[in-house]
Amino acid sequence: MKMIRSMLALSLLAGVSAAAMAENIAVTGGTAYTKGGYGKVENATVLIADGKIQSVTAAGEVPEGYKVIDAAGKIVTVGLMVSETTLGLTEVGFSAGIDDGSAKGDASIPLDAADGINPDSVLIPVTRIEGVTRAYTGLEGSKDMWLGQGAVIHLGNGPDLVVKRHAALGLELDEGAASSNGGSRVALWYSVRSKLDGAKAGGKEDKDDKDKKEAKPDPEKDALTRVLKGEQPLLVQADRASDIRKVIELKKAYGVRVILVGAAEAWRVADELAAAQIPVIVNPVQNLPGSFDTLGATQENAARLHKAGVKIALVGLGTDNARLMPQYAGNAVANGLPWEAAMDAMTVNPAEMFGVADSYGTLEAGKDADVVVWSGDPLELSSAPDHVLIKGEEIPLVSRQTKLAARYHPVSRAPEYKR
């Protein structure tokens, strides 16, 4: 009996702990941007309750019982979202142990990144204290050209970080994928179309065959069917302009939703991408011809795409540097992208691309309270978050790196040491 009481008590504590941590908070006095780089509110009062945004008003009253965060003279934005990572799936590169960010099996389409996410990954704290509160995460490598189904996660406290499973089905259509899948783009594209055609034909057969017994589970067909129905986008890695034109043809032929990622030469087909309504995820500092696929790489890629009317989102340079995305956004602004568009590309745009805009992406009543108070302009190298809230819970600005810095800096010297 005593044990049962203890278990009940633990259950009740677990049930209320999340709500207890998500206390009522008022962020006051700052300059808030409620929708990406727009919706500017001076002397804003942002009220947060039960992990949600209650309201954003100019010089609003603070109800009794709210913890107040003074943001006077500071910038208040939505927490940022990085649009292509392996966060939660990988740790330190070249370290021992399993790398959950890649797969070596023969069939990668059914793989679900949400099954491998570790909420205790050391990369999560170091990323979120830089203002990144959401991420798309998925495989970055596989035996075939498919990268399984990625997920949108929040970077708050665990145990469950998954916001949306099956957020996209990854597909590599670049030089490297062609090399390892048939040895040419000719073979690569035949394989991709065969998979989609097979899923299409399989769907018709199942519908018409009334006498067929209960179908066996087929997660690969289920994933491709979601793509063909428009329920799940294809997240396509391609850089060369000619490859991107093939991706546009693919969207038209199958009527699927497509998000383009990498896209070093996307600016060369910007008008066609805009007409096809294909959003693009870019690394704003990619400007070197690292391969024949990226001869046209330029730091003006993001600006040119935006000018053509293409919806864009941004990434850092790899998962380890996802936290540097705001700095890279600053580089994009230095190369012609409007500041407002850069903020959109880290908040509202990725939320819409990956289908989570109903709960995240703007400071609107009812949405998850991912809020960052910046010491200055988020895109300036000298600025940093002073407060980070994820789903209404204030996150300590501590990571393994900050602990190491505190331990070894300033370096202790022997008493007789003189500079």
Side-chain angles (χ1 to χ4, degrees):
M1 192 64 184
K2 186 176 180 182
M3 181 179 291
I4 292 175
R5 285 200 195 99
S6 299
M7 292 176 66
L8 283 172
L10 286 172
S11 300
L12 288 171
L13 283 172
V16 302
S17 60
M21 286 188 290
E23 57 189 330
N24 294 346
I25 295 174
V27 181
T28 63
T31 299
Y33 291 85
T34 60
K35 187 175 182 181
Y38 299 89
K40 185 176 181 180
V41 180
E42 298 282 8
N43 190 22
T45 298
V46 182
L47 296 183
I48 298 164
D50 298 325
K52 303 286 185 182
I53 300 291
Q54 270 188 312
S55 63
V56 182
T57 55
E61 295 291 329
V62 177
E64 188 176 348
Y66 279 61
K67 174 185 174 181
V68 175
I69 294 176
D70 183 5
K74 301 178 181 179
I75 304 292
V76 181
T77 70
V78 177
L80 309 181
M81 177 171 174
V82 61
S83 295
E84 190 202 23
T85 72
T86 57
L87 277 170
L89 298 173
T90 55
E91 295 291 346
V92 179
F94 301 112
S95 64
I98 293 176
D99 174 10
D100 292 318
S102 60
K104 299 177 181 176
D106 292 327
S108 303
I109 293 175
L111 303 182
D112 189 341
D115 290 333
I117 292 170
N118 173 21
D120 297 325
S121 166
V122 297
L123 288 179
I124 290 176
V126 75
T127 303
R128 67 189 183 187
I129 66 173
E130 299 294 342
V132 178
T133 64
R134 305 271 165 151
Y136 173 86
T137 190
L139 298 181
E140 61 180 354
S142 68
K143 192 174 180 179
D144 57 20
M145 75 289 281
W146 299 93
L147 297 174
Q149 300 165 90
V152 175
I153 61 173
H154 70 79
L155 305 189
N157 294 320
D160 186 8
L161 304 186
V162 177
V163 174
K164 182 174 183 175
R165 298 178 85 113
H166 304 160
L169 175 61
L171 174 61
E172 287 184 298
L173 295 176
D174 55 11
E175 185 179 16
S179 176
S180 56
N181 290 278
S184 75
R185 286 178 167 82
V186 177
L188 178 74
W189 276 98
Y190 174 78
S191 178
V192 171
R193 283 194 292 266
S194 295
K195 283 288 185 186
L196 293 172
D197 289 339
K200 223 172 179 179
K204 288 180 180 176
E205 181 183 339
D206 288 349
K207 186 177 179 180
D208 296 339
D209 188 359
K210 296 179 181 177
D211 297 329
K212 193 171 184 178
K213 294 181 180 179
E214 186 176 352
K216 293 181 180 178
D218 188 343
E220 177 173 304
K221 195 179 87 174
D222 291 345
L224 291 171
T225 299
R226 282 193 288 274
V227 170
L228 291 168
K229 287 182 176 179
E231 298 171 358
Q232 178 176 239
L234 281 176
L235 182 62
V236 181
Q237 167 76 46
D239 285 304
R240 199 171 75 175
S242 61
D243 290 338
I244 295 172
R245 289 194 177 95
K246 294 294 295 181
V247 173
I248 295 172
E249 289 178 15
L250 179 80
K251 174 181 167 66
K252 291 177 179 175
Y254 290 92
V256 296
R257 293 165 54 208
V258 171
I259 303 170
L260 190 63
V261 63
E265 294 190 344
W267 62 272
R268 294 181 58 197
V269 288
D271 291 337
E272 297 163 66
L273 287 166
Q277 297 185 331
I278 294 179
V280 179
I281 299 168
V282 297
N283 172 0
V285 296
Q286 184 178 14
N287 70 337
L288 295 176
S291 71
F292 283 107
D293 279 14
T294 59
L295 292 177
T298 169
Q299 290 191 61
E300 294 184 3
N301 195 13
R304 294 175 185 178
L305 288 168
H306 170 74
K307 187 176 181 181
V310 178
K311 180 179 290 186
I312 60 169
L314 304 180
V315 293
L317 187 60
T319 298
D320 291 351
N321 291 314
R323 60 196 169 88
L324 301 182
M325 179 179 62
Q327 298 177 23
Y328 293 177
N331 283 62
V333 171
N335 284 279
L337 184 69
W339 185 92
E340 295 82 359
M343 291 302 299
D344 284 355
M346 297 187 291
T347 52
V348 63
N349 286 0
E352 292 174 354
M353 289 181 190
F354 291 106
V356 295
D358 59 336
S359 62
Y360 158 81
T362 58
L363 295 180
E364 292 179 283
K367 292 198 175 180
D368 289 346
D370 283 22
V371 181
V372 180
V373 179
W374 302 85
S375 61
D377 184 340
L379 307 191
E380 288 288 346
L381 194 61
S382 56
S383 299
D386 285 338
H387 300 272
V388 174
L389 291 86
I390 300 177
K391 303 185 83 168
E393 182 181 348
E394 186 161 14
I395 302 297
L397 301 182
V398 176
S399 70
R400 178 175 171 78
Q401 283 76 1
T402 63
K403 290 179 179 176
L404 286 171
R407 181 175 180 182
Y408 293 110
H409 181 78
V411 178
S412 59
R413 303 286 188 182
E416 61 273 16
Y417 172 80
K418 294 181 180 177
R419 187 181 294 276

